[in-house]
Amino acid sequence: MEQLKVKTKTSSYHVHIGKEVYDLFSTEYKELLHNADKVGVFADATAASYHLEKLEQALKAAGIAHELHTLPAGEESKSPISFMSCHSFLLQHNFTRQSVLIAFGGGACGDLTGFVAATYMRGIPFLQCPTTILAHDSAVGGKTAINMPEGKNMVGSFHQPAGVLFHPDLFTTLPKREIRSGMAELIKHALISDAEWTESLLLNSDFPYFSADVLSSELLKGIQVKANIVEQDEFEQGMRRFLNFGHTLGHAVEAYFGFGKVSHGECVMIGMAYSLLLSESFGDITPEFTERFIRFADHSSYPLQAILDVDFSALLPFMKKDKKVSSGQLVFVLLESLGNPFTQKVSEKQCEHSYYELISRIKGEVQT
Ligand SMILES: NC(=O)c1ccc[n+]([C@@H]2O[C@H](COP(=O)([O-])OP(=O)(O)OC[C@H]3O[C@@H](n4cnc5c(N)ncnc54)[C@H](O)[C@@H]3O)[C@@H](O)[C@H]2O)c1
Ligand SMILES: [Zn+2]
């Protein structure tokens, strides 16, 4: 079992990865769970149908009773109605300020459970037990949120978990699309931090379907990148924005198609190709690298063709909702070189020009 420490101004916790992580309920997390008057497990319905037994058996072995609340699978769990039903569940089962929650699911379940934990009786501790690859990004760092009809992640807070326990066996049931989605965030972590690591991923013909051992060590590297950034900028005043690489266009594409139609990471992959292209003008990224990245994404079955018939004008309103917009201007995370991100204001005209350049490069590199 591997572990690393995340130390922010407000808290300090461990992220563990390995097949034995749930044994930690009997050791490292025994005190937290035994001292709690109630333990609530909030589980994603699909993740629970495959794997909940592993978690429940480990809790039982540690002598910890729990109440189970099953959530709708995926993004639906982040609705205001689902959020309120979680609070009602806790109240009806007499949870108090001395209670603890456990999130068992992907990023959606983790974001929801974290926000419920942040707000129930003004805040109780929670553990993250992620079940998706993407959650190597979302479970670390303490951002929690739910969606509003007006937009995604619009209501939330910063609330760091008490610990994060990754069990790699749980990833074996993920659909390929969800694997691709999570691995896009891994590539993002490589691109913003380390040229050599980026190269090794681009050259790995197994990508994105790694064996459990390779996956564990790659995820650990990704988590380390996230942890380093969060430690220095817990509340996103500066460098935490680098984690947004590829997300300005990515989020716009995701919103344009309707959330869930093309997965988050698939949209981020398109957004990263765009950011690399912009980085040719503002940094030292070469057109050859961008084209190589496009071919790599295509070979790894990311649906870059999805945007070929989409006009820039249809995406611009979504891009303008980006949290990085400053004085009405779009701000992008770009790369000076591989591993060296910076933020840059870019005019709408240049954004439009580069967008159509991206479309022509995709047409040139991808068999459609
Ligand atoms: N808090 C953050 O810093 C942060 C960062 C990135 C993303 N996010 C959020 O994370 C969410 C996306 O996370 P996600 O990609 O994990 O999506 P998800 O939680 O919606 O899970 C994706 C799908 O996989 C299913 N699933 C989960 N575990 C499974 C398993 N082991 N086997 C089979 N199916 C399984 C789910 O039921 C769902 O249908 C978004 O809501 C996004 O806003 C948050
Ligand atoms: Zn993302």
Side-chain angles (χ1 to χ4, degrees), residues 124-139:
I124 59 173
F126 79 116
L127 288 170
Q128 287 270 21
C129 292
T131 65
T132 64
I133 291 175
L134 185 131
H136 88 276
D137 186 7
S138 63

Side-chain angles (χ1 to χ4, degrees), residues 14-75:
H14 284 134
V15 181
H16 316 264
I17 185 160
K19 290 170 191 277
E20 307 83 24
V21 283
Y22 295 158
D23 295 349
L24 295 168
F25 295 143
S26 308
T27 54
E28 186 163 336
Y29 298 102
K30 187 170 179 176
E31 202 181 322
L32 173 77
L33 295 168
H34 274 271
N35 288 346
D37 58 359
K38 287 253 174 194
V39 173
V41 173
F42 283 12
D44 173 281
T46 305
S49 71
Y50 289 118
H51 306 292
L52 189 64
E53 218 184 315
K54 288 190 185 67
L55 183 90
E56 292 196 310
Q57 274 178 1
L59 287 173
K60 198 170 169 206
I64 295 151
H66 68 278
E67 308 276 357
L68 174 66
H69 182 49
T70 306
L71 304 167
E75 201 63 25

Side-chain angles (χ1 to χ4, degrees), residues 73-366:
E75 201 63 25
E76 215 190 310
S77 64
K78 281 173 71 173
S79 70
I81 289 177
S82 159
F83 173 73
M84 295 307 282
S85 79
C86 289
H87 278 295
S88 292
F89 174 89
L90 296 177
L91 289 166
Q92 284 160 15
H93 289 81
N94 302 316
F95 279 65
T96 72
R97 281 194 98 162
Q98 272 67 51
S99 305
V100 172
L101 297 183
I102 298 176
F104 185 76
C109 169
D111 276 13
L112 168 79
T113 308
F115 190 46
V116 173
T119 45
Y120 188 71
M121 307 244 167
R122 298 193 179 81
I124 59 173
F126 79 116
L127 288 170
Q128 287 270 21
C129 292
T131 65
T132 64
I133 291 175
L134 185 131
H136 88 276
D137 186 7
S138 63
V140 179
K143 272 196 192 176
T144 73
I146 57 167
N147 302 329
M148 293 292 288
E150 290 79 6
K152 205 167 131 68
N153 294 331
M154 285 299 151
V155 176
S157 72
F158 288 95
H159 188 54
Q160 300 289 343
V164 186
L165 286 68
F166 277 95
H167 194 318
D169 282 358
L170 311 195
F171 304 143
T172 51
T173 51
L174 283 173
K176 284 191 166 169
R177 183 165 169 266
E178 298 302 339
I179 294 177
R180 279 199 296 278
S181 186
M183 292 303 269
E185 302 280 6
L186 186 79
I187 286 275
K188 176 195 79 180
H189 287 136
L191 282 163
I192 62 170
S193 70
D194 187 334
E196 237 175 83
W197 180 27
T198 303
E199 275 300 326
S200 77
L201 288 174
L202 293 190
L203 290 171
N204 193 323
S205 56
D206 288 340
F207 186 92
Y209 310 118
F210 291 163
S211 69
D213 284 351
V214 176
L215 185 59
S216 294
S217 75
E218 291 293 334
L219 290 185
L220 202 68
K221 284 194 232 173
I223 295 164
Q224 187 68 63
V225 172
K226 175 130 193 196
N228 289 347
I229 291 179
V230 167
E231 285 183 352
Q232 293 172 65
D233 179 19
E234 184 174 6
F235 299 111
E236 199 159 320
Q237 308 291 311
M239 71 185 295
R240 189 161 179 170
R241 290 177 169 193
F242 295 158
L243 294 167
N244 225 254
F245 181 68
H247 281 62
T248 311
L249 183 71
H251 276 149
V253 172
E254 198 177 4
Y256 171 83
F257 283 113
F259 290 96
K261 304 254 167 54
V262 188
S263 75
H264 175 71
E266 289 174 336
C267 295
V268 170
M269 205 71 170
I270 295 169
M272 289 193 289
Y274 182 63
S275 301
L276 287 171
L277 206 146
L278 285 172
S279 303
E280 294 171 15
S281 303
F282 296 98
D284 281 338
I285 296 296
T286 61
E288 291 72 31
F289 183 80
T290 307
E291 280 149 25
R292 195 176 147 212
F293 184 83
I294 290 171
R295 284 197 299 278
F296 165 80
D298 179 47
H299 286 160
S300 312
S301 303
Y302 288 86
L304 304 176
Q305 316 85 300
I307 60 162
L308 291 184
D309 296 325
V310 180
D311 279 344
F312 179 74
S313 59
L315 297 174
L316 186 61
F318 294 112
M319 289 215 257
K320 285 188 167 166
K321 285 190 179 160
D322 186 76
K323 293 193 185 90
K324 295 188 296 312
V325 166
S326 162
S327 326
Q329 260 210 299
L330 293 169
V331 177
F332 286 82
V333 178
L334 302 181
L335 297 184
E336 187 56 53
S337 58
L338 292 182
N340 293 305
F342 66 103
T343 50
Q344 174 72 46
K345 281 188 185 170
V346 183
S347 70
E348 265 177 50
K349 204 162 168 237
Q350 167 124 30
C351 287
E352 180 170 13
H353 177 267
S354 298
Y355 178 74
Y356 288 111
E357 172 64 17
L358 175 67
I359 290 200
S360 106
R361 300 254 191 114
I362 293 174
K363 282 184 177 156
E365 300 299 333
V366 168

